């Protein structure tokens, strides 16, 4: 596909006799399209050329040679060059791209690069909470987008299935297992057992001792303890799968902390050899004062490994297993310090530099209920399955009102209800806290998942009404402003995906899809699609089709499914 930015940077490079590799990244898309489709800010060259931006702009203007079929017009506006692309060429590019119903082509920008994404990662015997949901939604969107760009992606569900609490769980189950039906309602029943045994431990030191012993036995692979642990894990996973069945989540590995724990001794050795491992009050730590961080605890005073130690072992394991170029960790910002410490300590493991440089924490904000933050202890945690089902029920009610005769209402309600929750998680910069408010996430007219689905459904129904459409599109009828705005957005699609991966920010795609839906609404409100004139109709039906395809591909990448009708 023709790259306008490349053509522009090449021409500027020729005019100034400069290297065009740098220039490419300087070319911008102006916010206001009266300033052109692309702009070149000349101040970026002022230092290098020792000239004012104005002078540079005029110099380029004088010497630049442009192919009129690519760039129609250039203007100098106070130190900027504004480029206007050839409308006919743009229309032709998009028409070609969508010809013969071929899906817009994937690209191979990520070919040969390995990405691992550590996401979702709920904890065994504990509720899958709304933070895990957000991690799942963000991780899944990134997974899909990297994959679409040709990267080799692995989704890692690093389950929290290890820790002293399992010693307690085992003791509780031994004492009162018969009183509970953990098969029927696993998470709640396990939580009850856990709370009860914790209370007993506080009263009775000998019980606590038993719990510690259980954990030790579990580590030594005592058959009874391992069997119970496996049961807890399996029952928890069954519950988690109910949620993954609703919202998705693609995992190539389910190796959790327990799988990694036996690999910690190698980490201890490596850190020992680095000379940086220090004793502090019986614990082993890496001092990070020079980096202005509290120490990274590697081994507790009772000799057990820490969350950080396991993360270090996981890094080494993943480097060897996946030879990653980038390793992303999707968690709430509560773990920012943890990952800073771990990544800093990872420098001491003697790995290739690329493995250290490839580590990246991708933090996100909290989900707030209108009543405040959710907390397990205060019982303000919403059960996720309930939340998703409620969204589906609410979507069904709206559909019931708007379109009572719709077929497959259940199926559509599911897509709309779930799509609304997913979109809400991805709508704004991930680092922002998010307020969960039913009315705004399900608003068909707002900047929501349902709005994108609704716009898509509209394109589908127009295409259906239009009947057979000719493959011959007369480009002349795609030159008006409303059509061109849509075409430009479609042209930018891949660029948007690349931006998502540069910042690991799926909201860039969410915002884009809203822009596409809005641009189509503007077009649709001022242009009838099904008109007498066949040529005009053809062009407008094409535009409608291309819009629908982009909305669908984009939404699917975010993990949202599209209904055909709603
Ligand atoms: N299970 C942890 C939690 O629920 C998140 C794990 C994040 N991944 C990691 N490699 N530390 O908080």
């Amino acid at each position: 596909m023709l790259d306008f930015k490349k053509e522009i940077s090449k021409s500027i490079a020729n005019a100034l006799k400069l290297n065009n590799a740098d220039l490419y990244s300087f070319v911008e898309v102006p916010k206001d399209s009266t300033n052109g489709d692309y702009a070149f800010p000349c101040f970026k060259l002022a230092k290098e050329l020792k000239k004012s931006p104005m002078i540079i702009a005029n110099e380029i203007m004088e010497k630049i040679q442009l192919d009129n079929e690519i760039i129609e017009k250039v203007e100098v506006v106070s130190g900027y060059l504004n480029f206007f692309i050839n409308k006919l060429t743009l229309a032709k590019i998009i028409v070609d791209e969508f010809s013969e119903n071929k899906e817009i082509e994937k690209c191979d920008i990520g070919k040969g690069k390995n990405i691992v994404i550590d996401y979702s990662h709920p904890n065994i015997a504990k509720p899958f909470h709304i933070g895990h949901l957000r991690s799942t939604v963000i991780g899944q969107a990134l997974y899909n987008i990297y994959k679409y760009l040709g990267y080799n992606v692995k989704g890692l569900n690093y389950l929290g299935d290890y820790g002293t609490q399992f010693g307690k769980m085992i003791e509780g189950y031994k004492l009162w297992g018969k009183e509970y039906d953990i098969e029927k309602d696993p998470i709640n029943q396990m939580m009850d057992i856990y709370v009860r045994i914790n209370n007993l431990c506080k009263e009775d030191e000998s019980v606590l001792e038993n719990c510690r012993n259980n954990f030790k036995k579990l580590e030594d692979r005592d058959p009874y303890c391992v069997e119970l642990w496996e049961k807890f894990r399996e029952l928890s996973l069954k519950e988690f799968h109910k949620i993954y069945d609703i919202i998705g989540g693609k995992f190539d590995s389910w190796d959790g902390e327990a799988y990694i724990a036996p690999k910690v001794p190698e980490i201890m050795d490596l850190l020992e050899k680095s000379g940086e491992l220090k004793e502090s009050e019986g614990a082993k730590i890496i001092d990070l004062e020079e980096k202005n961080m509290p120490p990274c605890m590697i081994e507790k005073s009772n000799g057990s490994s820490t969350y950080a130690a396991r993360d270090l072992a996981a890094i080494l394991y993943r480097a060897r297993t996946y030879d990653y170029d980038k390793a992303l960790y999707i968690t709430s910002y509560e773990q920012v310090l943890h990952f800073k410490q771990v990544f800093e300590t990872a420098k001491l493991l003697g790995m290739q530099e690329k493995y250290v440089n490839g580590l990246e924490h991708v933090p996100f904000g909290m989900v707030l209920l209108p009543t405040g933050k959710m907390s397990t202890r205060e019982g303000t945690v919403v059960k996720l399955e309930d939340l998703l089902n409620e969204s589906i029920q609410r979507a069904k009610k709206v559909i019931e009102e708007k379109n009572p005769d719709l077929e497959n209402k259940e199926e559509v309600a599911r897509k709309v209800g779930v799509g609304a929750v997913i979109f809400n998680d991805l709508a704004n910069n991930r680092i922002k806290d998010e307020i969960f408010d039913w009315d705004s996430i399900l608003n068909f007219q707002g900047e929501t998942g349902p709005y994108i689905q609704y716009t898509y459904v509209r394109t589908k129904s127009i295409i259906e009404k239009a009947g057979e459409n000719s493959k011959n599109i007369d480009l002349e009828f795609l030159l008006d402003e409303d059509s061109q705005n849509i075409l430009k957005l479609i042209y930018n699609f891949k660029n948007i995906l690349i931006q998502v991966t540069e910042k690991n920010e799926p909201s860039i795609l969410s915002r884009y899809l809203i822009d596409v839906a809005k641009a189509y609404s503007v077009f649709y409100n001022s242009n009838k699609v099904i008109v007498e004139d066949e040529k005009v109709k053809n062009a407008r039906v094409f535009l409608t089709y291309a819009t629908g395809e982009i909305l669908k591909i984009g939404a699917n990448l975010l993990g949202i499914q599209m209904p055909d009708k709603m």
Side-chain angles (χ1 to χ4, degrees):
M1 189 161 86
L2 176 77
D3 185 349
F4 288 108
K5 253 173 99 171
K6 206 183 219 156
E7 298 299 325
I8 291 167
S9 52
K10 231 167 49 189
S11 314
I12 295 174
N14 285 340
L16 296 177
K17 304 201 165 46
L18 286 172
N19 170 3
N20 72 7
D22 307 331
L23 298 184
Y24 184 82
S25 63
F26 295 161
V27 180
E28 351 179 292
V29 177
K31 291 214 167 58
D32 177 358
S33 63
T34 55
N35 290 327
D37 302 306
Y38 293 92
F40 186 81
C42 297
F43 71 85
K44 298 243 178 178
L45 295 174
K47 223 173 160 185
E48 185 181 342
L49 300 178
K50 299 195 182 69
K51 287 178 195 161
S52 79
M54 306 281 197
I55 293 181
I56 298 171
N58 288 326
E59 198 175 317
I60 299 175
M61 189 67 182
E62 237 168 68
K63 294 187 188 151
I64 199 162
Q65 290 186 343
L66 288 161
D67 182 344
N68 192 41
E69 282 198 5
I70 296 171
I71 300 295
E72 227 162 49
K73 189 171 83 174
V74 199
E75 283 173 0
V76 178
V77 180
S78 54
Y80 276 81
L81 287 163
N82 296 338
F83 297 86
F84 297 80
I85 61 178
N86 184 307
K87 298 189 173 76
L88 209 62
T89 303
L90 174 67
K92 185 168 179 345
I93 292 172
I94 304 299
V95 169
D96 285 349
E97 186 93 347
F98 282 90
S99 63
E100 293 149 27
N101 285 355
K102 91 174 173 211
E103 190 190 274
I104 181 162
E105 245 172 73
K106 299 188 183 184
C107 69
D108 59 359
I109 177 167
K111 212 169 144 192
K113 295 214 186 78
N114 303 324
I115 310 284
V116 296
I117 311 183
D118 180 324
Y119 74 105
S120 190
H121 38 229
N123 302 317
I124 298 302
K126 287 203 188 142
F128 189 113
H129 60 63
I130 200 142
H132 296 129
L133 178 76
R134 197 152 192 217
S135 173
T136 311
V137 167
I138 294 172
Q140 172 175 229
L142 291 174
Y143 184 107
N144 294 336
I145 293 165
Y146 274 102
K147 197 149 208 144
Y148 190 88
L149 293 177
Y151 289 86
N152 174 29
V153 193
K154 298 281 180 230
L156 313 180
N157 199 337
Y158 185 64
L159 295 171
D161 54 1
Y162 187 87
T164 46
Q165 76 268 27
F166 289 99
K168 289 184 177 169
M169 282 296 300
I170 291 169
E171 192 58 25
Y173 192 79
K174 259 198 223 167
L175 290 173
W176 316 298
K178 291 200 183 69
E179 293 173 37
Y180 296 85
D181 190 351
I182 72 166
E183 316 269 340
K184 206 170 141 225
D185 184 12
I187 306 283
N188 285 328
Q189 299 280 300
M190 286 192 275
M191 281 291 282
D192 286 350
I193 296 177
Y194 185 65
V195 171
R196 193 167 160 191
I197 189 74
N198 250 330
N199 287 335
L200 190 59
C201 284
K202 277 180 215 145
E203 289 165 21
D204 189 341
E205 183 70 24
S206 71
V207 177
L208 187 62
E209 199 46 43
N210 289 344
C211 297
R212 290 200 186 112
N213 281 335
N214 289 338
F215 181 61
K216 184 90 191 52
K217 281 199 217 157
L218 181 62
E219 286 200 291
D220 297 337
R221 303 212 58 80
D222 166 82
Y224 177 73
C225 289
V226 170
E227 190 190 311
L228 275 187
W229 173 82
E230 273 171 355
K231 186 182 173 120
F232 300 146
R233 192 177 191 271
E234 204 179 289
L235 287 172
S236 304
L237 275 177
K238 222 166 100 191
E239 290 296 291
F240 299 161
H241 272 295
K242 286 190 195 157
I243 293 166
Y244 295 135
D245 286 347
I246 304 176
I247 55 158
K250 296 177 185 124
F251 303 106
D252 303 278
S253 160
W254 297 82
D255 293 338
E257 294 186 48
Y259 178 81
I260 291 297
K263 305 180 192 301
V264 168
E266 186 182 356
I267 295 300
M268 301 299 292
D269 280 352
L270 290 169
L271 293 178
E272 200 78 69
K273 274 191 203 123
S274 76
E276 297 290 331
L277 197 61
K278 308 227 159 80
E279 287 252 352
S280 166
E281 294 163 34
K284 292 193 174 150
I285 60 150
I286 299 292
D287 187 83
L288 297 173
E289 208 183 326
E290 258 180 41
K291 301 282 166 188
N292 289 320
M293 282 183 252
C296 182
M297 200 189 310
I298 305 293
E299 195 182 271
K300 296 185 197 161
S301 50
N302 63 10
S304 53
S305 70
T306 59
Y307 180 49
R310 291 191 289 279
D311 255 326
L312 288 162
I315 289 172
L316 196 59
Y317 173 72
R318 289 170 188 177
R320 288 171 181 162
T321 311
Y322 304 108
D323 181 31
Y324 64 77
D325 295 279
K326 257 196 222 181
L328 308 180
Y329 296 80
I330 325 290
T331 81
S332 84
Y333 55 57
E334 289 171 308
Q335 299 199 32
V336 164
L337 178 62
H338 164 76
F339 285 107
K340 271 195 181 160
Q341 294 173 308
V342 166
F343 295 169
E344 193 54 43
T345 308
K347 293 181 185 162
L348 305 172
L349 299 178
M351 297 189 298
Q352 273 181 55
E353 215 159 287
K354 83 164 204 185
Y355 296 132
V356 176
N357 295 338
L359 297 166
E360 192 173 337
H361 184 215
V362 179
F364 55 79
M366 308 301 252
V367 183
L368 306 170
L369 289 178
T371 49
K373 196 180 147 186
M374 289 188 217
S375 140
T376 321
R377 257 177 249 145
E378 283 147 38
T380 49
V381 174
V382 178
K383 207 174 160 216
L384 267 188
E385 224 183 304
D386 296 345
L387 179 138
L388 291 168
N389 284 326
E390 169 145 12
S391 191
I392 295 169
Q393 285 320 312
R394 285 180 187 245
K396 197 167 160 209
K397 233 178 102 196
V398 181
I399 293 164
E400 213 74 79
E401 281 160 20
K402 285 193 192 266
N403 192 355
D405 302 327
L406 185 71
E407 282 171 41
N408 304 325
K409 262 184 245 168
E410 294 291 331
E411 175 70 19
V412 176
R414 197 179 155 92
K415 289 178 175 170
V416 174
V418 174
V421 172
I422 294 180
F423 193 87
N424 181 53
D425 258 339
L426 301 173
N428 295 310
N429 276 0
R430 59 177 153 73
I431 201 69
K432 280 200 194 161
D433 288 340
E434 143 196 333
I435 294 174
F436 195 92
D437 170 45
W438 286 116
D439 293 332
S440 59
I441 74 170
L442 280 163
N443 182 352
F444 282 34
Q445 303 305 326
E447 299 188 351
T448 62
Y451 171 60
I452 288 172
Q453 290 167 320
Y454 189 70
T455 311
Y456 170 72
V457 165
R458 177 184 270 172
T459 66
K460 288 287 269 189
S461 89
I462 293 169
I463 291 164
E464 200 173 291
K465 272 193 213 117
E468 196 55 44
N469 197 41
S470 158
K471 294 269 180 296
N472 267 328
I473 312 295
D474 207 325
L475 301 177
E476 252 170 77
F477 299 103
L478 292 171
L479 304 182
D480 60 287
E481 194 183 342
D482 293 342
S483 307
Q484 285 277 314
N485 281 340
I486 297 176
L487 294 173
K488 270 182 237 167
L489 280 164
I490 295 177
Y491 176 83
N492 258 329
F493 180 61
K494 268 177 220 161
N495 194 16
I496 289 291
L497 298 183
I498 293 169
Q499 284 177 36
V500 170
T501 60
E502 281 166 354
K503 298 198 172 118
N504 293 311
E505 182 64 80
S507 66
I508 295 172
L509 177 56
S510 320
R511 307 296 322 156
Y512 166 85
L513 292 177
I514 294 287
D515 288 344
V516 174
K518 280 188 181 162
Y520 187 76
S521 297
V522 169
F523 164 80
Y524 178 81
N525 288 335
S526 43
N527 297 284
K528 252 182 103 152
V529 176
I530 302 173
V531 288
E532 283 294 314
D533 186 326
E534 276 295 317
K535 284 184 171 171
V536 175
K537 176 183 142 199
N538 258 332
R540 292 183 181 169
V541 170
F542 166 76
L543 202 62
T544 303
Y545 167 75
T547 303
E549 283 302 289
I550 283 291
L551 288 177
K552 183 173 179 177
I553 299 168
N556 287 348
L557 287 174
L558 294 179
I560 296 170
Q561 289 175 21
M562 293 300 214
D564 288 326
K565 295 204 165 85
M566 69 191 263

